[in-house]
Amino acid sequence: MKIRLLSLTLAVALILAICPTASAIDVDTVTLSGAKTLMSGKTAKLSAIINPQNASNQNLVWTSSGACASVTDKGVVTARDVDEKTSVTIRATASSGAYGEHEMTITPRAISIELTPSGSSVDLSEGFILFTAKVYPETAEQNVIWSVSNKRIATITSDGLLSLKKKGTVIVKAKVSGQESVTASARVQISRMVTDVTVKGASRLKAGKKTKLSAVLIPKIKKKNPVIWESLTPDIAKVSSSGKVTALAVEQEQTAIIKATARNNPNASGTHEIIIYP
């Protein structure tokens, strides 16, 4: 029995001598990829590619170069609060000493957005309005996502260009990319703005009497009271919100001037002169 056991031991030793165990395969390179920018409070997972793929020990040790970001043993990066944009390097190191690095920029949290214009009344014929958004603090990520409340009235591009499609009211909204709770909005009234106002009516009026003027608008406006009436000579005649003129007392003929201004375009107005006589 002892002879057989000795023979078996010698046979195993001979086999091991002829076929030695395979040596460990080291990691040669580590390549990292993932997000380049990360906002404070957000997380991002980095990917690691190890070469050769059949390396014996593929465990990696992850480290961060700065306090502005931490990283787990799975490559998940968490951005911490910063006051300004801060660069950090994430490194993944193999047992062989090979490592890969990934540069990231940590940005502050956004607090608010300012839109320009903040609101607008615009003529449909203008076609477009360009909106811009400024995120505060200014060191925060400036990318915003644009949207509109009604795409049948207007649409908006990723660059903030609003295309006018029909008359109506639309709300333009911007929210910070990656921080959707920070938003700003602007109301846009789209109409066919008046370009010309002509006032018609009596040319003479006796003191104490009344007359009704009318305003002819180009283009026509269907709304009630589309103009604002004003007397430029309030000591001679006064005018109501509907265009009714009342001649005041005068000792001799004097000229009253009545003005009508389009409500949707303060640059469009017309005047009418009326001679007021005793």
Side-chain angles (χ1 to χ4, degrees):
M1 181 69 182
K2 290 183 179 179
I3 294 175
R4 289 181 179 178
L5 182 59
L6 179 60
S7 298
L8 180 60
T9 302
L10 290 174
V12 171
L14 181 61
I15 292 173
L16 292 175
I18 297 173
C19 303
T21 56
S23 59
I25 301 175
D26 288 336
V27 173
D28 290 333
T29 63
V30 179
T31 303
L32 303 184
S33 61
K36 295 289 187 180
T37 302
L38 192 61
M39 185 184 296
S40 294
K42 298 294 183 178
T43 61
K45 191 177 189 309
L46 301 184
S47 299
I49 298 177
I50 293 174
N51 277 311
Q53 295 182 0
N54 63 341
S56 301
N57 184 355
Q58 299 197 11
N59 292 329
L60 297 172
V61 176
W62 294 83
T63 57
S64 170
S65 67
C68 62
S70 61
V71 61
T72 69
D73 58 0
K74 300 297 184 182
V76 177
V77 180
T78 299
R80 295 173 178 168
D81 285 332
V82 293
D83 294 326
E84 59 184 5
K85 290 183 179 180
T86 306
S87 296
V88 66
T89 302
I90 305 299
R91 176 182 286 192
T93 306
S95 60
S96 65
Y99 63 87
E101 291 183 336
H102 184 72
E103 299 289 335
M104 300 184 74
T105 300
I106 308 302
T107 61
R109 298 174 191 265
I111 297 175
S112 63
I113 308 175
E114 179 184 349
L115 297 187
T116 303
S118 57
S120 180
S121 293
V122 62
D123 189 87
L124 181 62
S125 63
E126 291 190 21
F128 303 92
I129 303 176
L130 180 61
F131 278 86
T132 58
K134 191 170 186 178
V135 180
Y136 292 94
E138 294 183 11
T139 52
E141 181 62 48
Q142 295 293 314
N143 289 335
V144 299
I145 300 171
W146 295 96
S147 63
V148 292
S149 60
N150 192 331
K151 292 183 179 180
R152 291 179 299 176
I153 295 175
T155 59
I156 195 165
T157 68
S158 59
D159 297 323
L161 184 63
L162 185 73
S163 298
L164 313 179
K165 300 176 71 174
K166 60 184 295 186
K167 293 188 294 182
T169 300
V170 67
I171 305 299
V172 175
K173 184 177 180 181
K175 59 184 179 181
V176 176
S177 179
Q179 199 176 343
E180 285 75 9
S181 61
V182 181
T183 65
S185 60
R187 182 177 182 272
V188 179
Q189 178 67 48
I190 304 169
S191 60
R192 291 303 304 268
M193 295 183 70
V194 174
T195 57
D196 185 75
V197 178
T198 301
V199 181
K200 294 184 177 182
S203 59
R204 292 177 61 84
L205 186 63
K206 183 178 178 62
K209 297 296 184 178
K210 297 180 180 181
T211 188
K212 183 79 163 54
L213 301 182
S214 62
V216 179
L217 310 181
I218 299 177
K220 293 181 179 180
I221 300 294
K222 294 182 180 179
K223 291 183 178 180
K224 186 178 180 181
N225 296 331
V227 298
I228 299 171
W229 293 95
E230 176 188 7
S231 174
L232 301 183
T233 52
D235 56 332
I236 301 174
K238 60 182 181 179
V239 63
S240 70
S241 60
S242 62
K244 184 177 289 186
V245 178
T246 300
L248 302 180
V250 293
E251 295 181 357
Q252 59 184 13
E253 287 190 358
Q254 295 193 54
T255 302
I257 302 175
I258 307 300
K259 182 179 181 181
T261 303
R263 290 186 181 275
N264 70 359
N265 183 6
N267 295 319
S269 63
T271 60
H272 183 72
E273 295 185 355
I274 303 175
I275 297 176
I276 307 299
Y277 60 92

mmCIF file of all heavy atoms in Angstrom, residues 44-67:
data_model
loop_
_atom_site.group_PDB
_atom_site.id
_atom_site.type_symbol
_atom_site.label_atom_id
_atom_site.label_comp_id
_atom_site.label_asym_id
_atom_site.label_seq_id
_atom_site.Cartn_x
_atom_site.Cartn_y
_atom_site.Cartn_z
ATOM 1 N N ALA A 44 -23.216 60.705 -10.865
ATOM 2 C CA ALA A 44 -22.985 60.160 -12.201
ATOM 3 C C ALA A 44 -22.095 58.932 -12.088
ATOM 4 O O ALA A 44 -21.135 58.935 -11.289
ATOM 5 C CB ALA A 44 -22.343 61.199 -13.111
ATOM 6 N N LYS A 45 -22.396 57.892 -12.849
ATOM 7 C CA LYS A 45 -21.591 56.669 -12.819
ATOM 8 C C LYS A 45 -20.608 56.656 -13.983
ATOM 9 O O LYS A 45 -20.993 56.848 -15.136
ATOM 10 C CB LYS A 45 -22.486 55.429 -12.886
ATOM 11 C CG LYS A 45 -21.728 54.135 -12.597
ATOM 12 C CD LYS A 45 -22.648 52.936 -12.589
ATOM 13 C CE LYS A 45 -21.927 51.694 -12.091
ATOM 14 N NZ LYS A 45 -20.638 51.435 -12.771
ATOM 15 N N LEU A 46 -19.346 56.442 -13.661
ATOM 16 C CA LEU A 46 -18.310 56.343 -14.681
ATOM 17 C C LEU A 46 -18.129 54.883 -15.085
ATOM 18 O O LEU A 46 -18.360 53.968 -14.280
ATOM 19 C CB LEU A 46 -16.987 56.906 -14.163
ATOM 20 C CG LEU A 46 -17.000 58.371 -13.709
ATOM 21 C CD1 LEU A 46 -15.594 58.815 -13.315
ATOM 22 C CD2 LEU A 46 -17.554 59.278 -14.792
ATOM 23 N N SER A 47 -17.723 54.666 -16.325
ATOM 24 C CA SER A 47 -17.462 53.319 -16.837
ATOM 25 C C SER A 47 -15.963 53.108 -16.965
ATOM 26 O O SER A 47 -15.218 54.035 -17.295
ATOM 27 C CB SER A 47 -18.129 53.125 -18.195
ATOM 28 O OG SER A 47 -19.530 53.275 -18.086
ATOM 29 N N ALA A 48 -15.534 51.882 -16.701
ATOM 30 C CA ALA A 48 -14.107 51.547 -16.794
ATOM 31 C C ALA A 48 -13.934 50.361 -17.742
ATOM 32 O O ALA A 48 -14.645 49.355 -17.618
ATOM 33 C CB ALA A 48 -13.537 51.213 -15.426
ATOM 34 N N ILE A 49 -13.019 50.509 -18.696
ATOM 35 C CA ILE A 49 -12.677 49.418 -19.608
ATOM 36 C C ILE A 49 -11.264 48.954 -19.276
ATOM 37 O O ILE A 49 -10.318 49.751 -19.269
ATOM 38 C CB ILE A 49 -12.758 49.863 -21.077
ATOM 39 C CG1 ILE A 49 -14.188 50.283 -21.418
ATOM 40 C CG2 ILE A 49 -12.293 48.744 -22.007
ATOM 41 C CD1 ILE A 49 -14.336 50.810 -22.828
ATOM 42 N N ILE A 50 -11.134 47.656 -18.970
ATOM 43 C CA ILE A 50 -9.849 47.080 -18.558
ATOM 44 C C ILE A 50 -9.278 46.265 -19.707
ATOM 45 O O ILE A 50 -9.984 45.493 -20.362
ATOM 46 C CB ILE A 50 -10.035 46.188 -17.315
ATOM 47 C CG1 ILE A 50 -10.440 47.045 -16.114
ATOM 48 C CG2 ILE A 50 -8.779 45.386 -17.019
ATOM 49 C CD1 ILE A 50 -10.793 46.241 -14.890
ATOM 50 N N ASN A 51 -7.996 46.432 -19.950
ATOM 51 C CA ASN A 51 -7.276 45.637 -20.962
ATOM 52 C C ASN A 51 -6.036 45.019 -20.331
ATOM 53 O O ASN A 51 -5.316 45.694 -19.595
ATOM 54 C CB ASN A 51 -6.875 46.504 -22.163
ATOM 55 C CG ASN A 51 -8.027 46.654 -23.146
ATOM 56 O OD1 ASN A 51 -8.655 45.678 -23.527
ATOM 57 N ND2 ASN A 51 -8.322 47.896 -23.505
ATOM 58 N N PRO A 52 -5.787 43.745 -20.599
ATOM 59 C CA PRO A 52 -6.626 42.852 -21.410
ATOM 60 C C PRO A 52 -7.893 42.466 -20.663
ATOM 61 O O PRO A 52 -7.942 42.538 -19.438
ATOM 62 C CB PRO A 52 -5.727 41.647 -21.650
ATOM 63 C CG PRO A 52 -4.828 41.627 -20.457
ATOM 64 C CD PRO A 52 -4.564 43.058 -20.108
ATOM 65 N N GLN A 53 -8.886 42.074 -21.412
ATOM 66 C CA GLN A 53 -10.174 41.759 -20.814
ATOM 67 C C GLN A 53 -10.138 40.509 -19.943
ATOM 68 O O GLN A 53 -11.016 40.311 -19.105
ATOM 69 C CB GLN A 53 -11.229 41.610 -21.910
ATOM 70 C CG GLN A 53 -11.509 42.895 -22.670
ATOM 71 C CD GLN A 53 -12.581 42.728 -23.721
ATOM 72 O OE1 GLN A 53 -13.135 41.647 -23.906
ATOM 73 N NE2 GLN A 53 -12.887 43.809 -24.428
ATOM 74 N N ASN A 54 -9.121 39.673 -20.130
ATOM 75 C CA ASN A 54 -9.017 38.439 -19.336
ATOM 76 C C ASN A 54 -8.019 38.578 -18.193
ATOM 77 O O ASN A 54 -7.450 37.576 -17.713
ATOM 78 C CB ASN A 54 -8.633 37.269 -20.234
ATOM 79 C CG ASN A 54 -7.265 37.454 -20.883
ATOM 80 O OD1 ASN A 54 -6.773 38.578 -20.950
ATOM 81 N ND2 ASN A 54 -6.662 36.364 -21.347
ATOM 82 N N ALA A 55 -7.780 39.797 -17.756
ATOM 83 C CA ALA A 55 -6.867 40.023 -16.638
ATOM 84 C C ALA A 55 -7.346 39.256 -15.413
ATOM 85 O O ALA A 55 -8.555 39.127 -15.169
ATOM 86 C CB ALA A 55 -6.774 41.509 -16.329
ATOM 87 N N SER A 56 -6.414 38.756 -14.655
ATOM 88 C CA SER A 56 -6.753 37.897 -13.512
ATOM 89 C C SER A 56 -7.506 38.653 -12.431
ATOM 90 O O SER A 56 -8.515 38.175 -11.895
ATOM 91 C CB SER A 56 -5.474 37.290 -12.929
ATOM 92 O OG SER A 56 -4.790 36.534 -13.902
ATOM 93 N N ASN A 57 -7.043 39.831 -12.086
ATOM 94 C CA ASN A 57 -7.676 40.623 -11.025
ATOM 95 C C ASN A 57 -8.185 41.931 -11.630
ATOM 96 O O ASN A 57 -7.401 42.805 -11.967
ATOM 97 C CB ASN A 57 -6.666 40.902 -9.906
ATOM 98 C CG ASN A 57 -7.311 41.637 -8.736
ATOM 99 O OD1 ASN A 57 -8.480 42.016 -8.792
ATOM 100 N ND2 ASN A 57 -6.541 41.821 -7.665
ATOM 101 N N GLN A 58 -9.494 42.039 -11.749
ATOM 102 C CA GLN A 58 -10.085 43.207 -12.390
ATOM 103 C C GLN A 58 -10.668 44.203 -11.384
ATOM 104 O O GLN A 58 -11.385 45.125 -11.755
ATOM 105 C CB GLN A 58 -11.161 42.774 -13.386
ATOM 106 C CG GLN A 58 -10.615 41.893 -14.496
ATOM 107 C CD GLN A 58 -11.542 41.804 -15.697
ATOM 108 O OE1 GLN A 58 -12.512 42.543 -15.805
ATOM 109 N NE2 GLN A 58 -11.218 40.901 -16.613
ATOM 110 N N ASN A 59 -10.347 44.019 -10.132
ATOM 111 C CA ASN A 59 -10.798 44.971 -9.108
ATOM 112 C C ASN A 59 -10.067 46.303 -9.267
ATOM 113 O O ASN A 59 -8.873 46.342 -9.574
ATOM 114 C CB ASN A 59 -10.553 44.415 -7.712
ATOM 115 C CG ASN A 59 -11.436 43.218 -7.417
ATOM 116 O OD1 ASN A 59 -12.550 43.131 -7.918
ATOM 117 N ND2 ASN A 59 -10.926 42.286 -6.614
ATOM 118 N N LEU A 60 -10.815 47.387 -9.047
ATOM 119 C CA LEU A 60 -10.245 48.725 -9.166
ATOM 120 C C LEU A 60 -10.444 49.493 -7.863
ATOM 121 O O LEU A 60 -11.454 49.323 -7.175
ATOM 122 C CB LEU A 60 -10.911 49.498 -10.310
ATOM 123 C CG LEU A 60 -10.741 48.930 -11.724
ATOM 124 C CD1 LEU A 60 -11.621 49.704 -12.706
ATOM 125 C CD2 LEU A 60 -9.288 48.976 -12.155
ATOM 126 N N VAL A 61 -9.482 50.347 -7.565
ATOM 127 C CA VAL A 61 -9.594 51.247 -6.422
ATOM 128 C C VAL A 61 -9.871 52.646 -6.962
ATOM 129 O O VAL A 61 -9.073 53.208 -7.715
ATOM 130 C CB VAL A 61 -8.311 51.249 -5.574
ATOM 131 C CG1 VAL A 61 -8.435 52.268 -4.441
ATOM 132 C CG2 VAL A 61 -8.041 49.857 -5.017
ATOM 133 N N TRP A 62 -11.048 53.210 -6.601
ATOM 134 C CA TRP A 62 -11.460 54.509 -7.110
ATOM 135 C C TRP A 62 -11.095 55.604 -6.120
ATOM 136 O O TRP A 62 -11.322 55.467 -4.917
ATOM 137 C CB TRP A 62 -12.971 54.532 -7.342
ATOM 138 C CG TRP A 62 -13.442 53.609 -8.429
ATOM 139 C CD1 TRP A 62 -13.697 52.272 -8.327
ATOM 140 C CD2 TRP A 62 -13.717 53.957 -9.786
ATOM 141 N NE1 TRP A 62 -14.111 51.749 -9.521
ATOM 142 C CE2 TRP A 62 -14.145 52.778 -10.452
ATOM 143 C CE3 TRP A 62 -13.657 55.139 -10.516
ATOM 144 C CZ2 TRP A 62 -14.500 52.750 -11.784
ATOM 145 C CZ3 TRP A 62 -14.022 55.114 -11.852
ATOM 146 C CH2 TRP A 62 -14.431 53.936 -12.485
ATOM 147 N N THR A 63 -10.562 56.708 -6.623
ATOM 148 C CA THR A 63 -10.202 57.850 -5.775
ATOM 149 C C THR A 63 -10.546 59.159 -6.476
ATOM 150 O O THR A 63 -10.641 59.216 -7.702
ATOM 151 C CB THR A 63 -8.703 57.850 -5.429
ATOM 152 O OG1 THR A 63 -7.947 57.845 -6.652
ATOM 153 C CG2 THR A 63 -8.326 56.648 -4.582
ATOM 154 N N SER A 64 -10.748 60.214 -5.665
ATOM 155 C CA SER A 64 -11.028 61.558 -6.174
ATOM 156 C C SER A 64 -9.901 62.485 -5.758
ATOM 157 O O SER A 64 -9.400 62.394 -4.624
ATOM 158 C CB SER A 64 -12.355 62.068 -5.615
ATOM 159 O OG SER A 64 -12.529 63.439 -5.916
ATOM 160 N N SER A 65 -9.533 63.401 -6.645
ATOM 161 C CA SER A 65 -8.416 64.305 -6.370
ATOM 162 C C SER A 65 -8.805 65.490 -5.494
ATOM 163 O O SER A 65 -7.934 66.221 -5.023
ATOM 164 C CB SER A 65 -7.821 64.824 -7.677
ATOM 165 O OG SER A 65 -8.759 65.665 -8.344
ATOM 166 N N GLY A 66 -10.110 65.714 -5.309
ATOM 167 C CA GLY A 66 -10.532 66.899 -4.570
ATOM 168 C C GLY A 66 -11.742 66.650 -3.699
ATOM 169 O O GLY A 66 -12.485 65.674 -3.883
ATOM 170 N N ALA A 67 -11.958 67.560 -2.746
ATOM 171 C CA ALA A 67 -13.084 67.434 -1.819
ATOM 172 C C ALA A 67 -14.419 67.780 -2.470
ATOM 173 O O ALA A 67 -15.471 67.546 -1.881
ATOM 174 C CB ALA A 67 -12.852 68.338 -0.614
#
